[in-house]
Amino acid sequence: MNIKKKLPFYYVFYRSTLKISILATIFVGGLLLIRGTWKEVLIYMFQIYPFLGLAADYFYKEVTRKNEYYFYYNVACNKLELWIAAFVQAFFVSLVLFQLGKIGIGV
C-alpha cells in the first residue's frame, strides 16, 4: 500500500494519542511549575510533549488497548510505522507551538 493511502490512518492514530499525551505533559508541567515560572514551564512543556507525552500514551495503549492495532494492521500499517508517524506529527506540532510560544511570550 502506498504512503498516500496510509496518511489518513496515521493522522487518526495520532489523534488517538492526544488525550493521554497532553494530560501527561500537563501533569509534568504542573510539577515543573513548582520550580520555575509559567513562561519557563510552557517552553519545557512544548519541548517534552513529543517524547514524554507519546511515551506515556505508548505504555497506556500497550496495557489497555492492544486490540486497537488490528484496525491499522488491516490497512497494512504496522505498529512501528504508526508510532514513528505519531512522533513526527507530534514533533512538528510541538515545534510550531514552541515557536508561537516564543513569539507570544517574548523570550
Side-chain angles (χ1 to χ4, degrees), residues 43-88:
I43 298 287
Y44 290 141
M45 285 174 60
F46 292 146
Q47 291 174 349
I48 64 172
Y49 162 69
F51 304 103
L52 178 85
L54 285 178
D57 193 68
Y58 175 77
F59 291 120
Y60 172 75
K61 284 188 188 280
E62 286 298 311
V63 170
T64 62
R65 298 186 177 207
K66 284 187 178 185
N67 294 334
E68 187 175 308
Y69 294 114
Y70 292 122
F71 170 74
Y72 301 103
Y73 287 146
N74 289 335
V75 291
C77 296
N78 66 25
K79 193 186 303 187
L80 182 62
E81 287 177 356
L82 291 171
W83 285 108
I84 289 172
F87 177 77
V88 169

Side-chain angles (χ1 to χ4, degrees), residues 7-26:
L7 283 177
F9 295 102
Y10 292 155
Y11 178 67
V12 167
F13 181 76
Y14 171 69
R15 279 192 4 212
S16 75
T17 66
L18 287 177
K19 183 171 57 171
I20 299 298
S21 59
I22 289 174
L23 286 175
T25 304
I26 289 173

Side-chain angles (χ1 to χ4, degrees), residues 87-103:
F87 177 77
V88 169
Q89 291 176 58
F91 181 78
F92 282 117
V93 166
S94 178
L95 186 66
V96 168
L97 290 175
F98 178 72
Q99 293 300 323
L100 290 175
K102 281 178 61 174
I103 292 169

Side-chain angles (χ1 to χ4, degrees), residues 30-44:
L31 293 177
L32 290 173
L33 194 56
I34 296 169
R35 299 198 49 106
T37 64
W38 68 272
K39 291 179 182 181
E40 294 170 343
V41 170
L42 192 62
I43 298 287
Y44 290 141

